[in-house]
Amino acid sequence: EVFAAGAPASMQLLSETSLLFVDPPQHTRVRGLVAQAFTPKRIQAMRPRIEEMIDGVLDGLEDRPDFDVLEEIAWPIPIMAVTDLLDVPTTDQRLLHEWTHAITAVDELPLELDLLPSAGAAADEFLAYAGHLVEERRRHPGDDLISGLLAAEEDGATLSRDELLSMIVLILLAGHDTTASLISTALWLLLAHPDQADEVRADPSCVPNAIEEVLRYLGPLQVASGGGRWPDEPVTIEDTVIEPGTPVRLLLGSANRDPAQYEDPDAFDIHRRAIRHLAFGRGLHVCLGSALGRLEAQVVVPAVLRRFPDLAL
């Protein structure tokens, strides 16, 4: 109620139509349509392009005595990948980055409601931008994800214009912010554990498990996003009854260090087995872009470590 009272119309539109915030049956319909376009095959086909992107970035850093991993590797690669996926001009990447920061700043803890006006202005511009992309793809469809979303249909149902715009904003927004965090955190953790960094350099087969351990140990989202969760019927956990409508904050980072689930949970170990983490959520709201985030980290992190064998914090 507090958010709705102060949020501009653009922020309310994103809240009411985004996959992050809607429940079944709307969620079931929208996610089913989006899944037709956002396929594993489409994501895996991006690997050569992501490899090409990181090689280009690292070429520019090769003769430098030092560089900022976050600013010069972790931020650029994910936004390059997601704009490539949607066939968005590379010249717009800085603008997309600025809009993302303005919109997501509101959802930090504690909630920064005084940032709503600037978030709303960014949402206005982001939605207008998405609208232009949609109209352009209606006229000239291609092989990109936006064209795929426009073409998706199930039992005669398609995405409404508002759902389509919200989905484009969500993919551009969520598709680079959290992945930048995953890549930079992975490099930081591995460089802080040089023996494990050497293993990642030497053995490509250990890379996927190493990324899963990063996601468990220090995932990009420590708290479930979207303002929390609200039960619609009583939920009992241990001796506590959570009544309907009570706001709940789910601490993903705490769950990922649960000693009942993990032996020695505060140790970073790329050889850990049975890593059933909650970094991408669980259930019907499980992260739609998890495959893309994993792919980018699995390509970028070992590429950086191999190119710079003496890299140190």
Side-chain angles (χ1 to χ4, degrees):
E1 288 84 356
V2 173
F3 178 86
S10 55
M11 293 290 284
Q12 292 195 37
L13 184 151
L14 290 176
S15 296
E16 291 166 4
T17 57
S18 171
L19 268 182
L20 288 178
F21 307 116
V22 298
D23 291 322
Q26 183 184 7
H27 177 274
T28 308
R29 177 180 59 80
V30 172
R31 183 153 181 146
L33 289 167
V34 172
Q36 291 183 26
F38 208 84
T39 61
K41 182 179 178 181
R42 187 188 292 269
I43 300 306
Q44 279 304 314
M46 294 181 67
R47 180 180 284 272
R49 181 76 179 109
I50 296 170
E51 291 172 345
E52 182 183 313
M53 290 172 186
I54 187 60
D55 283 344
V57 168
L58 298 184
D59 286 346
L61 300 175
E62 192 137 45
D63 297 327
R64 298 262 296 275
D66 55 63
F67 50 81
D68 186 318
V69 164
L70 184 60
E71 292 294 328
E72 301 188 72
I73 296 175
W75 274 119
I77 293 296
I79 198 166
M80 288 165 68
V82 79
T83 51
D84 196 64
L85 181 66
L86 275 71
D87 193 19
V88 172
T90 56
T91 51
D92 295 343
Q93 289 172 1
R94 174 53 57 183
L95 202 53
L96 298 170
H97 185 55
E98 291 170 359
W99 287 335
T100 294
H101 261 295
I103 292 171
T104 57
V106 180
D107 197 37
E108 297 294 336
L109 288 175
L111 293 174
E112 300 280 358
L113 295 179
D114 58 327
L115 297 177
L116 269 176
S118 58
D124 286 341
E125 294 176 15
F126 213 153
L127 285 166
Y129 180 86
H132 289 308
L133 290 175
V134 167
E135 294 312 312
E136 197 270 333
R137 295 308 141 78
R138 285 192 197 280
R139 293 192 298 269
H140 307 289
D143 295 329
D144 59 284
L145 185 58
I146 296 174
S147 298
L149 292 171
L150 281 166
E153 182 177 352
E154 189 170 9
D155 296 330
T158 58
L159 294 170
S160 72
R161 179 176 173 80
D162 285 352
E163 290 167 346
L164 187 60
L165 297 186
S166 287
M167 198 65 233
I168 293 169
V169 169
L170 177 61
I171 292 169
L172 285 168
L173 184 153
H176 77 274
D177 196 47
T178 48
T179 308
S181 176
L182 171 58
I183 291 170
S184 57
T185 301
L187 286 166
W188 174 62
L189 285 170
L190 287 164
L191 292 173
H193 299 80
D195 55 330
Q196 298 191 64
D198 286 341
E199 289 189 69
V200 169
R201 285 188 182 96
D203 182 6
S205 70
C206 77
V207 172
N209 206 71
I211 297 304
E212 295 308 303
E213 175 66 348
V214 172
L215 287 161
R216 180 202 71 85
Y217 185 81
L218 199 59
L221 289 176
Q222 293 290 293
V223 182
S225 61
R229 298 293 184 268
W230 295 264
D232 55 11
E233 57 185 43
V235 175
T236 301
I237 300 176
E238 301 291 339
D239 298 324
T240 299
V241 178
I242 304 174
E243 297 294 343
T246 305
V248 179
R249 279 283 182 175
L250 300 178
L251 307 183
L252 306 180
S254 178
N256 286 339
R257 300 283 187 99
D258 183 356
Q261 178 72 24
Y262 304 104
E263 183 179 343
D264 198 8
D266 293 326
F268 177 69
D269 179 9
I270 64 170
H271 298 295
R272 186 183 297 276
R273 290 298 165 220
I275 306 176
R276 294 179 63 251
H277 60 71
L278 295 178
F280 292 116
R282 186 64 59 82
L284 61 88
H285 280 285
V286 67
C287 177
L288 188 69
S290 59
L292 179 57
R294 282 185 167 105
L295 175 63
E296 290 178 51
Q298 289 171 11
V299 169
V300 172
V301 171
V304 174
L305 294 175
R306 284 195 295 267
R307 181 72 75 96
F308 301 106
D310 299 321
L311 188 65
L313 296 172

